[in-house]
Amino acid sequence: MALNKIWVFAEAEDDKVTTPTLELLTKAREIASAVEAIYAGSSSEAVATTVGDYGATKLHVIDPAGGLPGQIAAAGIAHLASEQNPDAILFAQSYDGRDALARLSAKLDRPVLTNGMSLDNGDGLTFGTAIFGGVTLVDAKLTGEGPQLIAIRPKSFSAEPGGGGPAEIVNVATVDAGRAADAKVLEHHVEEQQGPKLEDASIVVSGGRGLGSAENYGPLVEELAKLLKGAWGASRAIVDAGWVPYALQVGQTGKTVKPKVYIALGISGATQHLVGMKNSDNIIAVNKDAEAPIFSVADLGIVGDVQKVVPALIEALKAKQ
């Protein structure tokens, strides 16, 4: 049974709607009769065109007035929800998404489900997620009054346009966000990026403790990724060990990737890591432990020492350039 109305919290970077937003819109139009989007930001016409193509018929626009989007959006959505009663509101598991979701939960006095990996509608919304550090996968449902507040991990669904026209823009009246509105964005700093973004790369090379040391990460993982014109990532183990920054972490508590090729070097394959990459089209694993869990999801597995296998692979690739 389709839900009557689902709202999606829309996000944009450089006036371009984010991929996780498009993924949520695609899923929403599959399970609901009506899909609308909420957006706190500028360039609403460009955003309306994109979200309309992916199924939203309306775009409710909230002016953040130089404030933090999540804080202002929560106040605006709470006001709208009390008037229009959507069945559910979906958020991407992003910084602004989590900020808006948490504040909205407090304002509406509603529980939330976060870190979702699947969403289906049979006898009510069924939400799939991983618990206990990614070891166990479970389904959950919210009961009680709506709207249901749900956050979904990026890459959980495919983003597919529906061919709709631009969404109708509805400007939301200024709302009182309280002291939260006092916080203002003074400057934007763009993170330095080498190569494609980890979340969007078609090829990802990640390293784990099997590399042996932090000094081996650059010559093995980064070098191979650059030769393949891909991005490089890491397991939680070496992030926690301080070998590489958290921004490179792939897994339940890091980033979710879905490249055409994922190469795991010296990664054992704990469930926490698999949650973030198991939906890759092709998975190649190199590990000296033949019983490593990573081989259970690998399309191609090489049982061997990464410090011997990878240099040979890099040499072969350079020879073909």
Side-chain angles (χ1 to χ4, degrees):
M1 178 179 176
L3 300 172
N4 288 327
K5 184 187 294 184
I6 286 182
W7 286 354
V8 172
F9 179 61
E11 299 180 60
E13 295 177 359
D14 298 324
D15 300 333
K16 181 180 178 182
V17 179
T18 63
T19 300
T21 296
L22 303 181
E23 294 167 359
L24 293 181
L25 288 167
T26 301
K27 172 55 71 170
R29 74 171 191 263
E30 175 187 319
I31 60 177
S33 301
V35 178
E36 299 177 2
I38 313 286
Y39 174 60
S42 58
S43 302
S44 57
E45 290 188 3
V47 173
T49 298
T50 303
V51 300
D53 189 25
Y54 282 78
T57 55
K58 287 185 180 180
L59 178 68
H60 301 275
V61 179
I62 301 168
D63 181 7
L68 296 170
Q71 296 179 354
I72 308 303
I77 296 172
H79 174 73
L80 284 175
S82 65
E83 295 180 341
Q84 302 190 27
N85 301 313
D87 294 301
I89 307 176
L90 306 183
F91 297 78
Q93 192 86 12
S94 62
Y95 293 115
D96 285 338
R98 286 177 291 192
D99 187 19
L101 174 64
R103 294 172 184 277
L104 181 61
S105 171
K107 289 180 179 295
L108 296 180
D109 192 24
R110 297 288 187 273
V112 301
L113 288 172
T114 62
N115 213 38
M117 299 162 55
S118 65
L119 192 63
D120 296 297
N121 184 39
D123 182 19
L125 280 178
T126 301
F127 166 96
T129 190
I131 61 174
F132 303 134
V135 173
T136 303
L137 303 178
V138 298
D139 287 334
K141 288 185 178 181
L142 284 171
T143 59
E145 290 185 70
Q148 298 184 41
L149 306 179
I150 296 172
I152 300 291
R153 292 179 64 86
K155 307 296 182 184
S156 294
F157 315 124
S158 297
E160 300 175 359
E168 176 190 353
I169 296 176
V170 180
N171 291 309
V172 179
T174 302
V175 294
D176 182 10
R179 293 190 62 190
D182 293 341
K184 301 296 181 182
V185 179
L186 302 180
E187 295 182 49
H188 288 273
H189 298 274
V190 179
E191 182 181 10
E192 290 186 11
Q193 180 72 38
Q194 291 183 318
K197 289 182 66 175
L198 181 57
E199 308 96 305
D200 300 329
S202 58
I203 297 176
V204 173
V205 181
S206 288
R209 278 199 180 277
L211 295 173
S213 68
E215 290 70 28
N216 289 331
Y217 184 86
L220 298 179
V221 179
E222 287 188 28
E223 181 70 11
L224 180 58
K226 289 176 181 177
L227 284 170
L228 296 172
K229 295 181 172 56
W232 47 93
S235 69
R236 176 177 175 176
I238 68 171
V239 170
D240 288 348
W243 292 9
V244 295
Y246 170 72
L248 298 181
Q249 183 176 319
V250 174
Q252 185 185 20
T253 53
K255 293 179 178 177
T256 300
V257 298
K258 193 177 179 182
K260 293 186 180 298
V261 179
Y262 186 87
I263 303 175
L265 304 178
I267 295 175
S268 63
T271 305
Q272 196 279 145
H273 185 77
L274 299 184
V275 164
M277 46 65 71
K278 66 180 181 179
N279 291 325
S280 304
D281 291 350
N282 298 281
I283 299 172
I284 300 171
V286 181
N287 199 296
K288 62 183 178 182
D289 180 5
E291 302 300 319
I294 192 70
F295 289 126
S296 68
V297 297
D299 298 287
L300 173 64
I302 301 173
V303 179
D305 187 342
V306 293
Q307 296 183 44
K308 296 180 180 179
V309 174
V310 179
L313 176 58
I314 289 174
E315 184 177 347
L317 288 170
K318 287 182 176 179
K320 289 190 175 183
Q321 287 185 335

